[in-house]
Amino acid sequence: MSDKWQPTIVGFFCNWCTYTAADLAGVSRMKYPATVRVIRLMCSGRVDPQFILKAFAGGADGVLIGGCHPGDCHYLEGNYKALRRFEMMKKLIAGFGIDEKRLRLEWISAAEGEKVKRVIEEMTQQVQELGPLDVPKIFAGWDEELDKLEEEIKKEAEEPSHV
Amino acid sequence: MESNGEIRIGFYVCHCGSNIGRVVDVPRVADTMSKMPGVVVSRDYKYMCSEPGQALVEQDIKDHRLNRVVVASCSPLLHEKTFRTAVGRAGLNPFYFQMVNIREHVSWVHEDSMEATEKAIALSRAAIHRVVYHRPLETRRVDIKSSVLIVGGGIAGIHSALKLADAGVKVYLVEREMTIGGHMAKFDKTFPTMDCAACILTPKMAQVREHPNITLWTNSEVTGLDGHVGSFKATVVRHPRYVKEDLCVGCLDCIEGCVVRTSDGRSSMISVDAFRKSRSDSNGATPKVAVTKLPNEFDEGLSTRKPVYIPFPQAVPQIVAVDPNSCLQIKTGKCKQTCVERCERDAFDFTQTDTTEEIEVGAIIVATGFKTFDPHRIPEYHYNDYEEVYTALEVERMVNASGPTGGHIEMNNGQRPKSVGIVHCVGSRDFHYNRWCSRVCCMYSLKLAHLIREHTGAEIYNCYIDMRCPGKGYEEFYDRLLAEGVHFIRGRVAEILDWPMSKAEEGKLVLRVEDTLAGFVRRVPVDMVVLSTGLEPRADSEDVRRLFGISCSTGGFFLEKHPKLAPVETTSDGVYLAGCCQGPKDIPDTVAQAGAAAAEALALISRGYIEMEPNTASIDEEECSGCKSCIGLCPYNAIHFDEEKNVAVIDETLCKGCGTCVAACPSGSIKQNLFEDDQIFAEIEEVLAHV
Amino acid sequence: MSDKPKIAMYWCASCGGCEESVVDLAEDILFVVENVDIVFWPVALDFKKKDVEAMEDGSIVASFINGAIRTTEQEEMVRMLRRKSQIVIAYGSCAQTGGIPALANLCEREAILQYVYHDAPTVKNPEGTRPQLETRENGFRATLPEFHNVVRTLGQIVDVDYYLPGCPPSPKLLKEAVIVLLSGNLPPKGTVLAPDKALCDECARKETKPETMEIEAFHRPHNTPVDPELCFLAQGIVCMGPATRAGCGAACTCGNMPCTGCYGPTSRVEDQGAKILSSLMANLAPKDEEGIRKALEGIPDPVGTFYRYAVAGSLMRGKLTK
């Protein structure tokens, strides 16, 4: 096991191209880091931006969307919809303070097992350079202030303040 | 089954022999999952997909009243159906099942056992939480049309067509060229038995012509495809041949009558260079050569033909065609039209234009074949410069008794070559061009070596990387050639030169090759060189692939669904592959594959129906605001606006289940079976739960 | 003591518009006053914190709380009201999803204080005074509430039973809510007391929305002529209507302004902004990256556009600066 911090990346792979390519990478016994947890969808067009935010909010350090190459979508144009959403999502997450490099869209055809490996290696490294995102921890940090109220109230009971 | 709403999950994790177990700590996965909420049974087993493995699931469903099942093993693309069926056999709805891919996506790609096990646990946990949200679903049955479209009329397409037609299936065979027969029709003999290609092929071509169940459309192309497995709608464009097919009887009198004169045979070789050049310049487009020097494509340009022609005497259909690029009447409108005069049946029609046929078929076999590597791309072989450098296919024609030279191997000066070099692996096994082995070149090189030697008595030098003769009787054929005195030099030819360095090399072509067995560089002077060009995907394979919604392998050959278990299926249900469009192969393999493709199509058709994956989307009319955001997004026009109810409605028979509209519905009113938001949210949460 | 159900109203970080909306009940307010006993409503009636403290836990039937939660005082008050109330209703966008105050979650707390007490052009504060949490003078201790690091929704502080969405909620929804509460026939916990359909359902422009949009570019209402009849999306103007609950009677679109999303998402959507983004982007015309980026220039601030009322309640809650 490498000593380096390993990010957790949620992958949304389309059934026809990228998921199959990941299967091919497996059949070909290519080796890549165990950083991407793949969720299979029928099409990259099914990737609801809510899924992306949910993944970040849930603790993902990165999100990788894999679809068929433009023109090759099994459902004709789902990948274009994914591309358009992706472009806006990059702007959106930047607005929320998330480096847009944590979100990646790749066209990986069923034959490109090699590309699955390369993309996962690249993205792992890229996210490693950015460091952990860990939104749940950020939220926990924000919410530490909530516990302070109890003490405040206790103090108030002991020594009432006057305005 | 679902008593009082209690969730009772059975979790099974597979060792897959040692495929998974070697890397993933399978017992630990089972143990961890046994503690997950709702999990009643958690087991690991050597081979979950085996009969006892499936029986284990079935028994547990009965014994433990399971109402959800999760199996962590290989890719769902491989065994999801297997387990769903097992779950169904036990009386549970098959869609109360979820599969976790811990082989292709985990044990085969990760080396660190700890990391792999953690990933396997995360993925398993996601599936366990997901499956809670599963709902019982019904598969939809779709009737299958009892007809098949076969694209490509080479030996693969022909064989598939005949098999299916014999079984009573209506076949549409669409061929781009004027005749069926493909590459095989050009060959003289076939290895290793040396039986005559025409003798085995032309009877099959004739059968195609005569078969009542086969509609043959040559000079035609499939330009559009719609629909889905069981009910494809294909558009076929039939290009004009300017001859009425139903009237022409193939008497060929019109060819005789055509005013354009050609010189026959070898004396017309002047056109070859022009042909080659034009072929390389225009990338396969019709060569722009003088009318009188019209190269015959079927003879690889080694002979000429007229604007009115038939590709070769045994062509099917036996109907002449007019080449609009060279016919004086079509080009200039000024021709005596002696061809028309000659035609007793008045079959000519110069006003013909493209016509379109729309057909409905249940399945499709793609058998679009290959193209040979263009040796112009390797400048050091000087295919363009030296007249005595030929491609193997050109020599195939030359050696063919019905070919341009009547079966004589002769050089441009009319002499027989005394020595011939055969260069293997031209464009194959070469990182600069194509990395793959074209599989057939070693054997056809041996065949040509044998034939050339037989015809000319010349010394033959085979320069090879390895001899690859893995087939029935192939190695024996190689032995026979060795015994016949053919020379074999192990080494890739670096260069073909025409400047002599010794008396013996004068007036010859010299092969410069490192003899890797002897350990020095040889210079082999020969009269003639044959380039054993490799096989490549067709130039338009990209368009074909998109048209039929199939994938390509790295080299551009069409991708089979599974390299071992589904070698003729594609990721597009109902579309099958046969022949070299899937990868280089010899005739026996092509025929075997064509038979397999026919069998797959027949199996589909014989069942009469197909069960569609129920992953369709639907809109709850109580929830839809009628914002219409989804309507324009559907590529299948499956969504329409119900003016009366003021909501959008999805026609589930048209929906193919991509889920694009589901993701887009701004009020969350569209649901996709098998991929519901709740299910995916659960997965997202749980794959991240350990973080 | 009256035996009419006791009702409390409280405001937190809000503009006061929600309080106004109660008055907007007009003569219907008489019906409310007749049927309930208002025991706490700082804006209108002189009750003190200690009055509420003195009440028994659970003695208030329902507390209507508007505004987001930004200070310890607000936090303390809503925690107290929660204890004293059987039902807590998040009233209005701010309480439900953070509302306009939650846009502050896109800035650091320190940056806000710096601007408000020092940098804003209207501020004159030569000594650089900042409010102190605690001041001791003459043996007295004076305290001020603490300004939290982030704005929160009511639901992020206390358990909320029902939500009344809107900026502000329409009087109609309020009246219906009161009737439901008085009827005793309570809907399931967590219900948003508004129609669970998107705004398009009641928008007069719905019919003009084309089935295929293919949006080429986005325009903003202030820099483009706005057709008073045509669907805003058909004009390339971002309208949150398709992703926003109905219930307002399409007030904004009737006023020739696009919906900005104050009624929040439907029950089936977790993150309103992501959903409208998804829908609008899918309906873009360009297919190439450059064309898409160009089209997106019309939405320079996606968070502010898609989450105007929902930053605190969104999946991201705010800007994740460290």
Side-chain angles (χ1 to χ4, degrees):
Chain A
M1 194 176 205
S2 105
D3 292 337
K4 216 169 173 183
W5 167 72
Q6 294 291 316
T8 304
I9 297 165
V10 175
F12 296 104
F13 286 6
C14 90
N15 180 65
W16 305 97
C17 290
T18 312
Y19 194 92
T20 311
D23 276 3
L24 177 63
V27 172
S28 316
R29 308 296 199 276
M30 292 169 182
K31 301 292 177 227
Y32 56 79
T35 47
V36 177
R37 314 254 191 273
V38 175
I39 292 173
R40 182 172 68 105
L41 299 170
M42 293 312 283
C43 179
S44 54
R46 176 68 182 96
V47 180
D48 186 329
Q50 289 191 105
F51 299 167
I52 298 167
L53 296 181
K54 187 89 178 170
F56 282 126
D61 300 299
V63 173
L64 171 63
I65 303 165
C68 306
H69 285 269
D72 288 359
C73 178
H74 188 80
Y75 303 103
L76 310 178
E77 297 213 326
N79 52 358
Y80 288 113
K81 276 108 187 171
L83 174 66
R84 296 171 187 146
R85 290 176 183 138
F86 166 73
E87 290 295 335
M88 194 46 144
M89 279 308 283
K90 280 197 295 188
K91 282 177 79 169
L92 186 83
I93 63 167
F96 279 124
I98 298 173
D99 194 307
E100 58 181 58
K101 289 200 282 290
R102 294 189 186 271
L103 177 61
R104 189 161 168 157
L105 171 68
E106 285 288 343
W107 309 133
I108 305 177
S109 81
E112 294 176 314
E114 182 73 38
K115 191 169 177 186
V116 170
K117 170 186 158 75
R118 180 167 59 74
V119 165
I120 290 179
E121 281 172 351
E122 272 176 23
M123 187 164 179
T124 299
Q125 201 198 338
Q126 200 168 34
V127 176
Q128 268 171 345
E129 282 163 16
L130 293 169
L133 177 63
D134 207 347
V135 175
K137 198 171 151 198
I138 295 174
F139 288 169
W142 286 355
D143 291 341
E144 272 171 23
E145 64 186 4
L146 292 182
D147 302 329
K148 291 198 293 194
L149 187 66
E150 294 299 313
E151 295 163 30
E152 201 59 40
I153 291 169
K154 222 180 279 170
K155 199 172 163 190
E156 179 74 23
E158 285 160 12
E159 186 192 357
S161 62
H162 302 271
V163 183
Chain B
M1 256 308 156
E2 208 180 348
S3 50
N4 64 35
E6 185 198 2
I7 301 290
R8 299 179 65 83
I9 304 169
F11 176 78
Y12 303 86
V13 52
C14 179
H15 291 257
C16 193
S18 62
N19 277 303
I20 294 170
R22 191 189 302 136
V23 181
V24 174
D25 184 347
V26 171
R28 193 185 138 200
V29 176
D31 183 51
T32 311
M33 291 311 120
S34 70
K35 294 165 190 145
M36 301 298 287
V39 173
V40 178
V41 183
S42 180
R43 302 184 195 275
D44 59 303
Y45 190 73
K46 209 78 184 160
Y47 288 104
M48 278 311 299
C49 62
S50 68
E51 213 177 298
Q54 294 182 47
L56 189 65
V57 177
E58 289 173 52
Q59 199 57 46
D60 280 351
I61 291 173
K62 289 170 188 153
D63 293 351
H64 297 274
R65 294 180 296 114
L66 300 180
N67 51 27
R68 301 286 192 284
V69 172
V70 174
V71 174
S73 55
C74 50
S75 172
L77 304 184
L78 206 62
H79 274 310
E80 191 173 50
K81 268 209 179 98
T82 312
F83 293 117
R84 275 187 189 163
T85 310
V87 168
R89 274 199 302 269
L92 197 61
N93 184 285
F95 296 96
Y96 278 135
F97 168 75
Q98 179 67 14
M99 194 156 173
V100 191
N101 185 347
I102 59 166
R103 193 179 71 175
E104 283 82 347
H105 286 200
V106 181
S107 69
W108 278 350
V109 287
H110 305 318
E111 282 166 318
D112 185 278
S113 174
M114 188 73 133
E115 288 177 355
T117 305
E118 274 174 18
K119 182 170 164 184
I121 286 173
L123 294 175
S124 302
R125 196 174 44 200
I128 283 171
H129 280 77
R130 182 195 213 274
V131 84
V132 170
Y133 294 94
H134 280 210
R135 289 184 297 127
L137 298 169
E138 296 290 321
T139 50
R140 189 160 49 89
R141 282 189 176 192
V142 173
D143 287 340
I144 302 221
K145 299 231 156 28
S146 176
S147 53
V148 176
L149 166 65
I150 298 176
V151 189
I155 181 60
I158 289 172
H159 189 75
S160 295
L162 289 173
K163 287 288 150 202
L164 285 166
D166 283 347
V169 175
K170 170 77 196 159
V171 173
Y172 297 93
L173 180 58
V174 176
E175 167 59 48
R176 177 156 55 184
E177 302 294 331
M178 293 292 176
T179 175
I180 57 170
H183 281 97
M184 187 178 170
K186 299 183 176 184
F187 302 158
D188 179 46
K189 299 278 198 302
T190 55
F191 59 77
T193 45
M194 302 308 274
D195 40 351
C196 153
C199 311
I200 54 178
L201 178 64
T202 46
K204 289 186 80 122
M205 290 165 63
Q207 280 176 45
V208 167
R209 180 181 55 205
E210 280 146 24
H211 209 296
N213 285 341
I214 299 178
T215 299
L216 172 62
W217 287 327
T218 53
N219 196 25
S220 304
E221 288 175 277
V222 182
T223 57
L225 187 71
D226 212 352
H228 51 76
V229 55
S231 179
F232 291 106
K233 289 180 187 65
T235 309
V236 180
V237 170
R238 306 199 59 204
H239 301 303
R241 54 197 310 147
Y242 305 102
V243 172
K244 292 176 188 152
E245 292 188 14
D246 48 341
L247 294 181
C248 175
V249 289
C251 69
L252 312 186
D253 283 354
C254 51
I255 299 179
E256 191 74 19
C258 177
V259 293
V260 177
R261 293 288 139 211
T262 59
S263 43
D264 290 329
R266 197 62 180 167
S267 53
S268 67
M269 277 295 284
I270 188 155
S271 66
V272 171
D273 282 343
F275 178 70
R276 282 180 182 175
K277 194 148 177 35
S278 67
R279 191 164 52 174
S280 81
D281 292 348
S282 60
N283 208 3
T286 314
K288 289 184 194 124
V289 290
V291 170
T292 46
K293 289 167 185 166
L294 211 61
N296 183 349
E297 299 87 349
F298 189 80
D299 278 340
E300 296 294 297
L302 294 178
S303 70
T304 55
R305 63 161 172 80
K306 289 186 172 184
V308 185
Y309 71 104
I310 190 158
F312 65 104
Q314 295 80 26
V316 168
Q318 276 280 313
I319 300 169
V320 296
V322 178
D323 172 8
N325 293 310
S326 53
C327 169
L328 287 176
Q329 177 59 30
I330 293 171
K331 279 178 74 179
T332 64
K334 292 175 198 152
C335 182
K336 288 189 286 182
Q337 299 189 36
T338 37
C339 54
V340 177
E341 283 168 24
R342 290 285 190 100
C343 183
E344 288 177 4
R345 296 179 52 88
D346 207 11
F348 281 90
D349 178 4
F350 292 113
T351 65
Q352 277 183 356
T353 51
D354 281 356
T355 54
T356 304
E357 304 272 358
E358 302 279 350
I359 52 171
E360 286 191 35
V361 293
I364 296 169
I365 296 174
V366 177
T368 49
F370 63 96
K371 75 175 168 63
T372 51
F373 177 82
D374 176 4
H376 285 102
R377 290 167 60 192
I378 309 182
E380 52 272 32
Y381 288 171
H382 298 281
Y383 174 64
N384 216 15
D385 312 329
Y386 303 156
E387 285 191 331
E388 297 311 324
V389 179
Y390 296 88
T391 65
L393 209 50
E394 287 167 348
V395 178
E396 287 280 1
R397 290 310 298 151
M398 236 191 267
V399 83
N400 193 311
S402 60
T405 56
H408 300 298
I409 305 286
E410 50 189 45
M411 298 184 290
N412 272 285
N413 59 13
Q415 302 283 309
R416 285 182 177 181
K418 293 194 172 63
S419 53
V420 177
I422 299 181
V423 181
H424 287 228
C425 299
V426 177
S428 302
R429 303 181 67 193
D430 187 333
F431 275 63
H432 296 102
Y433 306 104
N434 297 323
R435 289 176 59 174
W436 58 85
C437 166
S438 293
R439 266 185 78 180
V440 294
C441 327
C442 280
M443 286 307 294
Y444 80 56
S445 298
L446 290 178
K447 174 186 79 178
L448 290 176
H450 172 83
L451 291 172
I452 296 168
R453 196 166 164 79
E454 189 178 74
H455 284 240
T456 64
E459 290 298 321
I460 315 280
Y461 300 90
N462 267 286
C463 299
Y464 66 100
I465 304 178
D466 314 288
M467 287 306 298
R468 296 196 165 174
C469 310
K472 198 171 172 184
Y474 290 11
E475 184 68 15
E476 295 89 321
F477 189 67
Y478 174 39
D479 287 341
R480 176 178 161 191
L481 268 284
L482 284 170
E484 282 176 9
V486 170
H487 307 286
F488 288 88
I489 299 165
R490 197 185 80 177
R492 183 193 279 282
V493 171
E495 211 173 1
I496 299 167
L497 304 164
D498 71 344
W499 39 272
M501 286 179 69
S502 66
K503 191 90 179 147
E505 292 179 1
E506 271 172 26
K508 306 255 181 190
L509 294 172
V510 179
L511 307 178
R512 229 162 59 80
V513 53
E514 183 188 354
D515 186 330
T516 56
L517 288 178
F520 64 93
V521 176
R522 281 186 193 275
R523 292 174 61 89
V524 186
V526 290
D527 292 327
M528 182 187 255
V529 177
V530 182
L531 301 179
S532 296
T533 48
L535 274 52
E536 283 186 335
R538 285 212 177 256
D540 62 350
S541 61
E542 190 63 18
D543 302 331
V544 174
R545 180 177 75 73
R546 288 193 175 163
L547 183 64
F548 295 103
I550 54 186
S551 294
C552 272
S553 331
T554 323
F557 291 107
F558 300 147
L559 186 68
E560 62 283 356
K561 190 172 180 180
H562 190 277
K564 313 287 187 303
L565 301 178
V568 300
E569 289 171 69
T570 65
T571 48
S572 248
D573 285 344
V575 179
Y576 306 101
L577 301 173
C580 288
C581 63
Q582 182 261 345
K585 53 182 68 66
D586 57 22
I587 294 169
D589 283 4
T590 297
V591 171
Q593 203 192 20
E600 292 283 356
L602 191 60
L604 184 75
I605 284 169
S606 307
R607 196 169 56 215
Y609 67 90
I610 185 160
E611 289 195 335
M612 304 289 279
E613 182 86 351
N615 57 356
T616 49
S618 59
I619 299 175
D620 186 332
E621 63 177 66
E622 294 297 313
E623 297 174 352
C624 175
S625 73
C627 78
K628 304 179 197 163
S629 303
C630 54
I631 294 175
L633 300 180
C634 180
Y636 306 105
N637 298 319
I639 315 178
H640 72 274
F641 193 71
D642 184 330
E643 298 286 348
E644 212 150 279
K645 291 181 177 159
N646 247 319
V647 294
V649 179
I650 293 178
D651 180 346
E652 285 193 53
T653 60
L654 295 177
C655 172
K656 295 199 182 181
C658 63
T660 299
C661 61
V662 189
C665 178
S667 63
S669 308
I670 311 184
K671 276 184 194 64
Q672 183 186 12
N673 288 337
L674 291 174
F675 295 91
E676 293 184 33
D677 281 356
D678 286 347
Q679 298 167 354
I680 297 162
F681 280 144
E683 271 190 274
I684 296 169
E685 274 168 22
E686 290 305 317
V687 291
L688 292 164
H690 73 292
V691 184
Chain C
M1 219 37 198
S2 134
D3 54 2
K4 286 192 280 187
K6 293 185 175 58
I7 300 283
M9 299 238 198
Y10 191 70
W11 65 349
C12 297
S14 63
C15 64
C18 284
E19 311 279 350
E20 287 282 351
S21 73
V22 178
V23 185
D24 283 347
L25 280 172
E27 55 268 35
D28 283 335
I29 202 160
L30 299 174
F31 162 80
V32 176
V33 173
E34 249 170 50
N35 286 285
V36 303
D37 188 9
I38 298 177
V39 295
F40 187 55
W41 190 9
V43 165
L45 304 167
D46 191 15
F47 293 107
K48 300 293 188 206
K49 177 181 164 192
K50 63 177 187 318
D51 299 325
V52 182
E53 270 175 331
M55 293 178 197
E56 267 179 46
D57 283 1
S59 60
I60 301 173
V61 171
S63 282
F64 288 77
I65 301 175
N66 70 75
I69 314 299
R70 181 87 213 212
T71 66
T72 46
E73 180 199 22
Q74 291 155 359
E75 189 192 343
E76 185 189 349
M77 285 304 292
V78 301
R79 285 191 195 278
M80 183 167 71
L81 283 168
R82 173 70 268 187
R83 279 199 305 277
K84 305 293 175 189
S85 312
Q86 294 162 30
I87 293 167
V88 166
I89 295 155
Y91 187 84
S93 311
C94 300
Q96 189 190 0
T97 54
I100 300 291
L103 287 170
N105 280 1
L106 302 174
C107 301
E108 298 243 30
R109 176 180 180 271
E110 176 52 31
I112 295 169
L113 294 176
Q114 177 68 26
Y115 185 81
V116 170
Y117 290 100
H118 307 278
D119 298 346
T122 52
V123 168
K124 197 177 173 190
N125 183 7
E127 284 165 26
T129 311
R130 284 263 187 110
Q132 300 298 306
L133 288 181
E134 189 178 308
T135 315
R136 285 179 188 274
E137 216 173 300
N138 303 331
F140 291 110
R141 189 174 76 99
T143 57
L144 280 177
E146 188 169 5
F147 193 65
H148 276 162
N149 281 311
V150 287
V151 177
R152 291 184 177 79
T153 69
L154 183 61
Q156 284 165 352
I157 303 286
V158 295
D159 205 22
V160 172
D161 298 290
Y162 302 114
Y163 298 87
L164 257 173
C167 182
S170 73
K172 182 170 168 273
L173 285 191
L174 173 59
K175 189 181 159 192
E176 283 170 6
V178 172
I179 291 170
V180 165
L181 291 176
L182 292 175
S183 74
N185 192 11
L186 296 175
K189 192 177 163 178
T191 300
V192 177
L193 302 173
D196 205 4
K197 277 192 175 192
L199 181 71
C200 299
D201 185 50
E202 57 186 29
C203 177
R205 300 175 190 233
K206 175 175 170 180
E207 278 180 20
T208 64
K209 188 173 184 189
E211 292 191 354
T212 305
M213 285 199 281
E214 304 206 333
I215 302 165
E216 296 280 354
F218 289 104
H219 310 289
R220 305 173 73 193
H222 65 273
N223 60 13
T224 188
V226 181
D227 185 307
E229 314 260 304
L230 186 61
C231 169
F232 285 99
L233 291 170
Q235 304 181 54
I237 297 168
V238 174
C239 177
M240 293 283 288
T244 304
R245 262 179 206 267
C248 62
C252 291
T253 64
C254 288
N256 208 22
M257 282 300 281
C259 170
T260 50
C262 70
Y263 269 59
T266 65
S267 64
R268 305 168 294 277
V269 170
E270 192 160 347
D271 192 287
Q272 186 187 13
K275 262 305 191 185
I276 191 72
L277 180 153
S278 181
S279 166
L280 293 183
M281 296 311 120
N283 278 296
L284 282 184
K287 286 185 179 176
D288 59 301
E289 285 167 41
E290 192 156 331
I292 294 167
R293 283 185 197 139
K294 206 156 164 42
L296 300 191
E297 283 170 11
I299 306 179
D301 174 18
V303 178
T305 308
F306 301 140
Y307 295 88
R308 185 165 303 177
Y309 305 91
V311 171
S314 75
L315 283 164
M316 285 294 123
R317 292 183 56 187
K319 193 161 181 171
L320 308 167
T321 41
K322 287 185 188 154

